[in-house]
Amino acid sequence: MLEVRDLKVSYGPVQAVRGVSLHVRAGEVVALLGANGAGKTTTLMAIAGLRRVTSGTITFEGSAITGTPPEDIVRAGVGVAPEGRRIFASLTVAENLQLAAAIVPPDAAVERRQALLERFPILGERYHQRAGLLSGGEQQMLAIARALLPGPKLLMVDEPSLGLAPQMVDSVFDLLAKLKADGTTILLVEQNVPRALEVADHGVVLASGQVALAGPVADLAGSESVRAAYLAA
């Protein structure tokens, strides 16, 4: 479904991503792992069209999307729940979802919104509340629901556990497991490596903007270098 080849992204003279290649097959969850500054979020944002690609190619369902405007990438079927959630705090839950429905035919938008409220009952309870009044975990649920509303073929989720209490981390990963069981294709960026490996099929470990390791999660979990760097605790 998604193929990234030799991706390079720079911020001025600093090369943040240095030749990353990865692929995501339909129906699988791929975890993009690594320490802070490894290039995970930059890679995700480049795929979403939110960072300019210096060189390399990004292909989605056989079509090149390198350099494509973000709104067209969403229309092509890529949804993003960004790091820090980025919900519109001054708007209600309903209004946040309404904005996400802008590219969806009205009848389909109503059906999808209802289905999401059934999947995320807490959002139904908070439907007319300002999103900024939600807890961190509830805001993360809203960010994921907003990304899902247009009906993406690929869902990209960036650091969903960041800043959440342990109980809410459990809720978020339970949700990701359910989405996986439903056949949702997911590219997950996550620093909580043990939890990411629980839900993912394959993992890609970045270090200094390059792929250090890649393979099935069973192999990564058994790798001494991964264990030493990320699983020692």
Side-chain angles (χ1 to χ4, degrees):
M1 179 177 285
L2 175 73
E3 185 170 11
V4 177
R5 288 187 179 181
D6 199 25
L7 180 70
K8 297 178 182 177
V9 181
S10 298
Y11 296 98
V14 179
Q15 194 169 62
V17 176
R18 301 187 292 165
V20 166
S21 296
L22 61 87
H23 63 269
V24 183
R25 296 184 177 90
E28 73 177 3
V29 177
V30 173
L32 193 56
L33 310 170
N36 278 333
K40 306 184 304 296
T41 291
T42 299
T43 297
L44 211 69
M45 292 300 98
I47 295 168
L50 296 168
R51 292 289 182 271
R52 189 176 68 85
V53 174
T54 306
S55 64
T57 60
I58 305 168
T59 304
F60 181 67
E61 292 198 313
S63 297
I65 60 170
T66 316
T68 299
E71 60 272 23
D72 291 337
I73 291 176
V74 173
R75 290 189 178 94
V78 179
V80 184
E83 181 182 7
R85 300 180 276 277
R86 304 288 182 90
I87 50 97
F88 294 98
S90 64
L91 302 182
T92 65
V93 169
E95 289 167 337
N96 271 269
L97 294 177
Q98 184 177 351
L99 287 173
I103 64 171
V104 182
D107 290 346
V110 171
E111 291 179 7
R112 290 178 189 176
R113 185 164 54 244
Q114 185 57 42
L116 285 170
L117 293 177
E118 292 174 4
R119 182 182 288 277
F120 301 87
I122 191 63
L123 298 184
E125 295 173 18
R126 307 281 194 267
Y127 197 59
H128 298 294
Q129 291 185 15
R130 284 196 296 121
L133 299 177
L134 303 181
S135 71
E138 291 165 353
Q139 290 183 10
Q140 185 62 68
M141 296 297 181
L142 176 57
I144 294 174
R146 184 180 61 183
L148 288 170
L149 200 149
K153 300 170 185 176
L154 170 66
L155 173 65
M156 301 198 300
V157 186
D158 194 358
E159 301 287 7
S161 73
L162 186 66
L164 300 186
Q167 184 177 357
M168 290 310 304
V169 172
D170 290 342
S171 296
V172 167
F173 277 93
D174 286 346
L175 168 64
L176 293 175
K178 290 175 182 176
L179 291 172
K180 175 183 178 180
D182 290 343
T184 306
T185 306
I186 301 173
L187 178 57
L188 170 67
V189 167
E190 180 56 59
Q191 285 194 61
N192 189 331
V193 173
R195 298 307 301 265
L197 294 180
E198 288 175 7
V199 72
D201 300 295
H202 295 269
V204 178
V205 180
L206 298 188
S208 301
Q210 296 177 301
V211 176
L213 288 168
V217 294
D219 293 347
L220 294 182
S223 165
E224 287 302 321
S225 57
V226 172
R227 293 185 67 83
Y230 304 111
L231 303 178

